[in-house]
Amino acid sequence: MANIKSLIALHVWAATSSYEALGDFGWLYSDFFLIEQIPSRLAYTGIYRFLNNPERSMGGAAFFGLWLISNSKLVLTLAIFSHLSHWWFLSFVEQ
């Protein structure tokens, strides 16, 4: 049960710390649409002190926590699919 709570807490921390560092501008992908407003310096606060792309590695932690709660192969499959899809999306968009 402690593993489940830690994965969910890790997901919540990653999401809130990312939002605090990026604000609405970065959280809602505004840098794709409002190019002239992109900050000139990168933010290295919150979770970004430890990871350059926290949503790539930590974004799906809650889904794996749900898999541990449910102990279902379907939920595991969906967690893996969600994590890989998000990883692919970030890799594709950033290039």
Side-chain angles (χ1 to χ4, degrees):
M1 190 64 153
N3 291 336
I4 297 166
K5 290 180 182 178
S6 350
L7 284 172
I8 293 172
L10 181 64
H11 177 82
V12 170
W13 175 70
T16 55
S17 185
S18 295
Y19 181 76
E20 287 172 1
L22 299 174
D24 290 334
F25 180 79
W27 187 259
L28 300 172
Y29 296 104
S30 298
D31 50 344
F32 294 126
F33 307 109
L34 305 172
I35 296 171
E36 64 278 354
Q37 295 180 14
I38 295 175
S40 60
R41 299 187 72 211
L42 295 174
Y44 286 103
T45 60
I47 196 168
Y48 288 95
R49 290 178 292 174
F50 310 109
L51 300 167
N52 283 334
N53 234 340
E55 59 276 353
R56 179 178 287 173
S57 53
M58 303 291 186
F63 299 120
F64 289 102
L66 292 173
W67 162 62
L68 290 173
I69 291 170
S70 68
N71 197 23
S72 165
K73 290 181 182 178
L74 177 61
V75 176
L76 173 61
T77 303
L78 291 172
I80 292 170
F81 179 75
S82 171
H83 190 72
L84 290 176
S85 297
H86 195 233
W87 178 81
W88 175 81
F89 172 75
L90 290 173
S91 298
F92 178 73
V93 167
E94 287 182 354
Q95 289 180 1

